[in-house]
Every structure is written in C-alpha cells, then in structure tokens.
Amino acid sequence: MESLLFFPQPLPDESLYSLAVRYHRLAANNSYRLTSQELFGTYSRTCGSILPCCLGALSQRLEEVYSVEELIERFTLLPLYRPFVNDAVYSAACIAMTGSYGTGLKMSLGITASRFLKHTSFRYCDSCVREDTLNYGAAYWHRIHQAIGTCICPHHREGLLAMTFPDGADWRRMLLPSEERGTPVMESLDGAAAAAVAEMQLWGLEHPRDVQVLLKGNFLRCRLDKMRFVKSGRLRERMLRAFLAPRLLCSARAAEFEEIAHSSDWVLRVLRPRGVVQPFKFYFLCWLLGLSLEQLKLFRPKATLYIGDRTGGHDAVKAAKEVCIEAHRSAFSSSGNLKCHEKPGYMWLYRHDREWLAQYVAAHPFVRLREASIDWKGRDSALAQELLIAKNKLLSAEGKPKKLTRAALCRLIANDHCFLKVPHHFPLSIALVDESLESIHDHQVRKIRWAVQRYALDERSAMSVVYRFAGIRVSQVPEIELQTLLLLWSAA
Ligand SMILES: [Zn+2]
C-alpha cells in the first residue's frame, strides 16, 4: 500500500468530501476514480456522503496521522448522531465507516426511515465562502452545513445555498462551494427556528458528550414538567399538541421543517423513543419548547430527584437505574484481565444488562496470561521418591500385611491423590504406582509369610490353620504353591 505524498491541511469544521476535493485539485487528477483510488485504494461510492466509508484505508495511507476515530470525529457527521444511539450501534457504524461496505449504515441510524434524505443537498453559506477564501485561500465544504435540518449558517445566520452540480452530475465532479449555481434552501429568512436548530446542531456536533448528559438527565421531560405539560406524572398530550401546532406552522419554510411541521406525532416519538431519534428532531423540539442553546449548555441533571410519569416506567426510577447500570458497567469493564464471571458485578449485569454484557464479553475476550513456568519434571521426581518411601513403609509395617493399593499409597504422600488428575505431568510417579499395585495372590502370599513367621508354622501345619492365621477366606494361592512356600520358609 502506498502512502500519500501529501494531503491538504484540514480547515475548521471541514468535511471529508471537501478534503478529497482539495486533494483532487492539488494532485491535478482528471477523474474522481483516480483520486478515490489514491485516497482509499478503491472506488468509494460514499466519499460525498455525510458518513463516508473506506476510512481505514485512508488512515493507513496517511500513515495514521489521523486514526480512523479522528477521521470520524473531525470530518464526518457521525458525532452528531453519537448521543442518540447506543454503544453497539455506534461501534457498528464506526466499523462500517472503517471498511468499504457501508450498506445499512444510514438505516441503522434511522436516517433512511426519517425521510429527510430526499431533502439533502450540498450546502454552503455565501459569507463563509467569502471569509474562507480570504482567510484560507479557498472555500470549502463545512460539515455543519451538510447536517440534516441545518438551513441557516450558524456562524452568519444567513440562509444556506444548495449547489447544483452541472449537467446532471453529482459530487464526483469534485467541486467546491459556489463553483456552480446555488439555490436558497429556505424560501424566506424569517426562520428563528432554523437559526436556533443550526446553532444547537453545531454545538451538538462539537459536544456529543454534553448532549448525552441532556438525554440521560431527561432534559425534555424536565422542560415539559416545568411548562406544566406533566400532571400527576402523566404527559398532558392534548395540551402539548395544542401548544405545538401554531409553533410548528410558523417554524421555517424549508423542506426538512415542512416534512414534519404538519403533525406533532413525531414529538411524542422523540419523548418516548423506540428507535434512533434524529438529532434534527431533538433540537427542533427544543426550540418548539422555547429552549435556547444557552439553556442546553447550562442544564444540570437531577436525575435521581426528578419525579417521572407512569407511562415511561417512572423516569426517576429509570434515571436511577441508568446511573446504577453505568456504575456496574464501569466496575466490570475496569477490573482487568479476569474471567468474566470473576469480575465485580457479573451476576448483576447478567440479570439487568445482559445485552451489554454479551457485547462487552464478545469484544473483550479473556486473555489467559502465560502461566508461570512450573517444574513438572522436578515435581514428578520428588513425588516418585515420596511414593517409593510410602511403598516401603507399607511393606515394612507392623502387623498383618496391608494390601498395596493406589489409595493406600496416596494416603501416605503429601499431596494426596491430586497428581492423578494431571497424569501427563507425572509419568514417572504414575508408572511407579502402577508397578507397585499388588494382586490378591501376591497379597495373600505376603500374609502367609507373615503368619509363618508370626505363629511358627511349617509344612506340617494344616492348610485351614495357615489360612486362618493369615486371615485368608478365599484362597488365591494354589495348594501346591502353599506347600512349597511353607517348606521354604520353615527351613529358613
Ligand atoms: Zn456562514
């Protein structure tokens, strides 16, 4: 893989497409295909998207001057969606943008279902173009201008223009703002809502963690409560709809706003989300409820104090539970390289947060640390010595001979029978045990010998007497062998 010889210095809030266009110009390439090949190593169909893919290849070609995470955070609009999706969806989106296969990415973020895509365009602000040309020598595409629902420049409060690529071409023409004809995104500029939404979206894009705090702290529910749209813990829907209707109608004369201004049904879906809430809808609702950017910035959650309603499963309980979940997740994820069920809070997470637990465990497999080197050979040798001593002890024990069994041997060694569980580590000891085990015949022979010595028996003694003294009920020693042994031992 070839590294890039150069790459444009990113400008404030510049989109990845804008960087690609400026690279294209600097390289004097004559086609997007060539530029894409150089930047991404493939023909990327998403370079002009707000959520471009192939960022892994680009990061490598930049010799990781920018990691994939930095590319995503600095040059794409994914951070705008970050607070509104869970970790799993966000990780999946990052993975999709790292690779070259982005199918389903916008669907997973709810953008496809939102019906806003048909209103998207390449937008720019005339004042930004002038200032950028003056300050940086070139105009460039600003990220925030491309966000769904941004119709006014948050810096200049001027209506954005949508550029039309000539001859029916699309972004592959690699143009910069105002190089072709632009048409106003809004019909009139009396859009306080559009300005407020644009400012909030810019702040949200740059401060996704602060927006997460808003969402976790039930920011909108607190506002509704304050506006008395919550009574006895329940949302007063009819009142809220009556309040919203006129504000919706006079919000802004732009396509995205008109897409949702005809009804307030979506407001309830933002308040009781089942899927991904579109950032634009969230910020627009903030404006509808009379909130300003400053109020968003100043919000401090009082999660555990807020009295929730019945519909949402009690917001206070929910908020407290979220805090609790966070604490357990944090304790679990920061407990080092332990097996998952040994980490603190495993059982709690298993009961209350199993989905997250499964994802975390799958993403962080237990890595078995290399065991300290154990001198198995030395242990085997020492154990064999012990077994030998045990064997001799059993053979020389006082009284009637006890049978040499595995259990009898093990009882006399320090580690009992544990070594039998890992026989492959103790080959010598296992072999010694196997050869030491005594058959019934051999044991009876030993007992007969003991009886001969103990009771001065000889070949004249009756066999039944010998067996009785030796403690043998069913003999395994043939009569002829017994006679021979008695003859031999009494002579000795
Ligand atoms: Zn501007």
Side-chain angles (χ1 to χ4, degrees):
M1 182 182 302
E2 290 179 17
S3 300
L4 291 173
L5 296 176
F6 65 92
F7 194 69
Q9 180 69 32
L11 299 172
D13 195 38
E14 185 169 15
S15 72
L16 190 88
Y17 172 65
S18 183
L19 284 163
V21 174
R22 292 204 291 124
Y23 173 86
H24 179 82
R25 301 283 177 87
L26 290 168
N29 287 339
N30 58 9
S31 71
Y32 166 70
R33 185 174 292 277
L34 181 57
T35 297
S36 177
Q37 196 64 40
E38 288 176 6
L39 291 177
F40 309 114
T42 186
Y43 184 79
S44 169
R45 297 177 189 282
T46 57
C47 180
S49 167
I50 56 173
L51 304 169
C53 297
C54 305
L55 300 186
L58 176 61
S59 175
Q60 286 181 350
R61 281 168 170 72
L62 290 169
E63 295 186 335
E64 302 197 355
V65 172
Y66 297 106
S67 65
V68 174
E69 290 74 24
E70 283 175 311
L71 290 173
I72 288 173
E73 279 178 25
R74 290 188 56 179
F75 309 122
T76 79
L77 279 172
L78 190 60
L80 186 63
Y81 292 82
R82 177 70 186 97
F84 300 94
V85 296
N86 61 34
D87 291 344
V89 172
Y90 185 75
S91 299
C94 289
I95 290 167
M97 290 168 74
T98 304
S100 56
Y101 189 73
T103 307
L105 176 58
K106 285 182 177 165
M107 196 179 291
S108 71
L109 298 173
I111 300 173
T112 310
S114 72
R115 294 185 297 180
F116 290 133
L117 274 180
K118 60 188 174 203
H119 305 303
T120 56
S121 53
F122 281 79
R123 300 176 180 185
Y124 65 93
C125 158
D126 259 340
S127 292
C128 283
V129 168
R130 278 195 298 279
E131 280 186 14
D132 294 341
T133 308
L134 204 62
N135 294 333
Y136 307 112
Y140 63 93
W141 296 106
H142 288 244
R143 250 189 334 171
I144 189 60
H145 292 165
Q146 318 311 321
I148 291 168
T150 299
C151 303
I152 280 182
C153 174
H155 305 294
H156 300 101
R157 290 198 162 226
E158 286 180 18
L160 296 179
L161 300 168
M163 197 174 87
T164 309
F165 288 87
D167 307 324
D170 62 8
W171 53 266
R172 291 172 179 80
R173 284 293 290 268
M174 308 301 273
L175 299 177
L176 288 172
S178 84
E179 290 183 338
E180 284 295 334
R181 190 174 64 86
T183 49
V185 173
M186 290 180 64
E187 288 182 22
S188 62
L189 272 179
D190 57 342
V197 167
E199 285 176 359
M200 290 180 192
Q201 293 220 106
L202 177 60
W203 176 74
L205 177 62
E206 292 172 347
H207 303 87
R209 290 191 184 283
D210 291 350
V211 182
Q212 274 177 327
V213 172
L214 290 181
L215 297 176
K216 283 187 177 174
N218 286 305
F219 177 64
L220 291 177
R221 298 291 303 195
C222 290
R223 178 64 178 171
L224 289 169
D225 196 22
K226 206 169 183 179
M227 294 174 80
R228 298 182 188 281
F229 286 125
V230 176
K231 187 181 179 186
S232 304
R234 297 197 68 171
L235 186 65
R236 302 164 92 176
E237 276 187 38
R238 195 177 294 176
M239 264 183 72
L240 179 62
R241 284 179 189 273
F243 170 79
L244 292 174
R247 289 177 71 79
L248 279 167
L249 288 174
C250 66
S251 52
R253 301 286 301 279
E256 287 104 310
F257 286 85
E258 287 175 351
E259 180 75 43
I260 54 175
H262 62 276
S263 163
S264 56
D265 290 348
W266 62 271
V267 172
L268 299 174
R269 287 195 289 275
V270 171
L271 294 171
R272 299 166 187 156
R274 286 184 188 160
V276 180
V277 171
Q278 292 303 294
F280 164 52
K281 287 183 178 175
F282 175 80
Y283 296 116
F284 185 28
L285 180 54
C286 287
W287 178 82
L288 288 170
L289 296 176
L291 290 160
S292 67
L293 176 57
E294 284 309 305
Q295 285 168 290
L296 267 66
K297 288 180 182 175
L298 294 173
F299 176 73
R300 294 290 174 273
K302 44 181 179 180
T304 52
L305 300 176
Y306 180 70
I307 299 167
D309 66 3
R310 284 190 290 166
T311 53
H314 303 287
D315 284 355
V317 175
K318 197 176 164 189
K321 193 178 175 188
E322 281 175 7
V323 171
C324 189
I325 284 177
E326 273 308 313
H328 279 89
R329 285 180 181 178
S330 172
F332 185 83
S333 56
S334 61
S335 56
N337 188 44
L338 296 172
K339 286 179 182 171
C340 62
H341 56 271
E342 291 171 352
K343 293 187 176 187
Y346 172 78
M347 283 312 295
W348 191 94
L349 288 165
Y350 185 80
R351 277 191 229 108
H352 300 95
D353 197 13
R354 197 176 303 182
E355 195 180 340
W356 177 88
L357 181 66
Q359 285 166 359
Y360 183 89
V361 170
H364 301 82
F366 172 68
V367 180
R368 190 178 296 279
L369 295 175
R370 204 171 157 220
E371 287 178 16
S373 168
I374 298 174
D375 181 12
W376 291 110
K377 207 171 174 181
R379 285 190 180 190
D380 188 24
S381 172
L383 182 65
Q385 286 286 337
E386 266 193 277
L387 284 165
L388 213 52
I389 293 167
K391 181 184 173 184
N392 291 333
K393 205 169 175 181
L394 281 171
L395 289 174
S396 59
E398 293 274 323
K400 194 181 288 181
K402 287 197 172 67
K403 194 180 177 196
L404 273 172
T405 62
R406 191 176 273 109
L409 284 167
C410 288
R411 273 196 292 272
L412 295 177
I413 58 171
N415 286 322
D416 205 0
H417 60 280
C418 294
F419 72 101
L420 294 173
K421 293 177 184 171
V422 280
H424 56 288
H425 285 310
F426 297 92
L428 198 60
S429 305
I430 296 289
L432 186 69
V433 169
D434 288 344
E435 71 180 35
S436 302
L437 297 181
E438 200 172 32
S439 66
I440 297 173
H441 169 270
D442 293 350
H443 183 220
Q444 288 186 351
V445 169
R446 269 207 308 131
K447 288 202 284 189
I448 291 165
R449 183 172 189 164
W450 169 81
V452 168
Q453 291 171 346
R454 174 80 170 74
Y455 300 106
L457 304 174
D458 58 23
E459 72 278 11
R460 290 165 299 178
S461 306
M463 284 176 57
S464 58
V465 174
V466 175
Y467 287 141
R468 194 168 69 249
F469 280 130
I472 296 170
R473 286 185 187 163
V474 181
S475 172
Q476 297 282 320
V477 183
E479 200 174 317
I480 183 74
E481 187 184 355
L482 179 63
Q483 286 295 339
T484 311
L485 291 174
L486 286 173
L487 200 60
L488 188 69
W489 291 331
S490 58

